[in-house]
Amino acid sequence: MTPDFRSDTVTKPDDAMRAAMAAAPVGDDVYGDDPSVNALEVRVAQMLGKPAGLFVTSGTQSNLIAILGHCRRGEEFLSGERYHSMKDEAGGAAVLGSVVPQTLPVADDGSISEDSVRAAIKPDDVHLPISRLLCLENTVSGRVQSKRNLDSLTSIAREHGLKTHLDGARLMNAVVSSDVSASDYAAGFNSVSLCISKGLGAPVGSVLVGDEDFIKAGRRIRKMLGGGMRQAGVIAAACDYALSHNIERLADDHLRASGVARRLSEIDEVHVSLNEVETNMVYLQLPDDVAPGLKAFLAERGMTISPPCPKFRLVMHKDITDAASDSLVEGIADFMAQCRS
């Protein structure tokens, strides 16, 4: 298997996961008849301490359902300027829901300040959209957002009558890194999205959780978005397998990322901030005159990375072995030696 460091979304289901998928009992999920989907929704809701869950195709769909479920046309949601719900989901809330996005500045560690949230919440003025929802994220670019900070921000939101949503695309990475439970992280939020197709290794699927009325409304929104599924138990079974077998092993990805970062930092002209490596992501910066050539150089050695923007993001996941990470470090060292020879 060619080592692919672009993202933890590139993982392939292994034989045991495929066997679980093949053996899954299924039914028509639109009718509520798929036992594998129903069991997964209950399981994730319980993990996150919420009454109900909704299985959806992706984190993008889950976040969009949450925003449309909490906000009406002409209202606004607040979120970090580089959070997924604001930056990487094609503007769906604005395009499909006429919900106004309000960006908040994000610090280097991925956090949003209390002052930023307070300043962004609008007064009751007919000239302004109604502030309705605060969307946060954990992790952010691999950085763990502390429970203390999340709790302080959700508390401010509640003071002003806002709902709160957590994009937990890599929430389990935060759980493993910080030793804070998923339900504790989720406690201050009205809704939470858990993506199971990233580091957890399922081929597809996220679960949105919240109270029963919210999830009932979310099921209708999912249908309107074209997301009604039929015998979805075959993918729900993959998610269930991932939750049973791939949470604790995230620590391996974190350890491998810290090792790669440390070794890369020892190479001349290679810049890695070791204190930024908190989970499974390493951000690498090379001199501008050589950076454009690294992707092609590693491709010739059978490794895939993303282009810099402006840093290279190197992501560790369950399909990256020690040998693959060794090859990555050696390849970057050889590239730099060649460039400076």
Side-chain angles (χ1 to χ4, degrees):
M1 183 181 295
T2 300
D4 191 336
F5 297 92
R6 290 175 298 172
S7 177
D8 47 11
T9 61
V10 301
T11 57
K12 306 294 195 299
D14 55 27
D15 291 343
M17 182 179 285
R18 289 176 184 272
M21 297 169 71
V26 299
D28 190 320
D29 180 48
V30 173
Y31 287 113
D33 292 342
D34 193 302
S36 298
V37 171
N38 295 341
L40 177 67
E41 291 173 343
V42 170
R43 179 179 186 179
V44 175
Q46 291 177 342
M47 287 177 64
L48 297 176
K50 303 300 181 187
L54 178 66
F55 185 44
V56 301
T57 58
S58 67
T60 296
Q61 187 180 67
S62 185
N63 288 335
L64 179 57
I65 292 171
I67 294 171
L68 299 185
H70 289 305
C71 302
R72 294 175 296 183
R73 292 167 59 88
E75 296 179 341
E76 73 171 1
F77 76 100
L78 284 57
S79 191
E81 60 192 356
R82 57 188 178 91
Y83 288 6
H84 283 89
S85 57
M86 186 65 68
K87 179 176 178 286
D88 295 311
E89 297 181 353
V95 174
L96 301 178
S98 297
V99 180
V100 181
Q102 170 64 60
T103 59
L104 302 173
V106 176
D108 290 343
D109 66 357
S111 65
I112 293 171
S113 72
E114 295 180 17
D115 288 344
S116 295
V117 173
R118 292 186 188 279
I121 297 174
K122 307 292 188 294
D124 185 4
D125 185 321
V126 296
H127 300 88
L128 304 174
I130 298 170
S131 301
R132 183 65 66 195
L133 175 67
L134 175 65
C135 290
L136 301 177
E137 186 172 310
N138 205 7
T139 61
V140 177
S141 300
R143 305 293 297 273
V144 177
Q145 303 306 294
S146 72
K147 176 173 167 53
R148 174 183 292 183
N149 182 247
L150 295 176
D151 285 349
S152 69
L153 299 181
T154 56
S155 177
I156 292 168
R158 285 193 299 274
E159 288 174 15
H160 291 82
L162 274 66
K163 299 293 187 180
T164 55
H165 171 68
L166 177 64
D167 175 2
R170 294 179 175 88
L171 180 60
M172 290 305 171
N173 289 90
V175 168
V176 169
S177 178
S178 65
D179 227 12
V180 175
S181 72
S183 59
D184 282 346
Y185 271 126
F189 292 88
N190 297 105
S191 60
V192 182
S193 169
L194 177 66
C195 185
I196 313 178
S197 63
K198 293 187 170 67
L200 295 176
V204 60
S206 292
V207 179
L208 175 66
V209 301
D211 66 34
E212 291 180 356
D213 288 342
F214 173 78
I215 293 301
K216 181 179 179 180
R219 197 173 297 276
R220 177 181 290 274
I221 296 170
R222 185 186 72 173
K223 185 69 173 177
M224 287 191 293
L225 295 174
M229 296 185 285
R230 301 300 179 180
Q231 289 72 35
V234 291
I235 51 176
C239 294
D240 185 69
Y241 181 90
L243 292 173
S244 295
H245 296 87
N246 292 343
I247 293 178
E248 291 183 1
R249 64 144 304 281
L250 292 172
D252 298 337
D253 300 337
H254 301 175
L255 183 62
R256 190 167 285 120
S258 64
V260 166
R262 175 183 52 78
R263 294 165 64 193
L264 288 175
S265 70
E266 296 169 354
I267 303 172
D268 287 344
E269 297 189 89
V270 171
H271 301 285
V272 175
S273 296
L274 297 181
N275 62 356
E276 294 181 359
V277 184
E278 297 179 359
T279 56
N280 64 326
M281 297 182 185
V282 178
Y283 285 87
L284 166 74
Q285 189 160 15
L286 301 182
D288 291 343
D289 63 321
V290 301
L294 178 63
K295 185 175 184 294
F297 182 88
L298 292 179
E300 291 179 358
R301 295 194 173 197
M303 290 175 277
T304 304
I305 65 170
S306 297
C309 58
K311 296 182 179 180
F312 293 94
R313 187 184 75 161
L314 308 171
V315 184
M316 307 299 140
H317 50 77
K318 76 177 190 67
D319 292 350
I320 296 297
T321 63
D322 286 337
S325 59
D326 289 344
S327 296
L328 175 68
V329 174
E330 292 164 4
I332 293 172
D334 291 346
F335 172 74
M336 291 305 298
Q338 174 182 294
C339 290
R340 296 312 188 211
S341 62

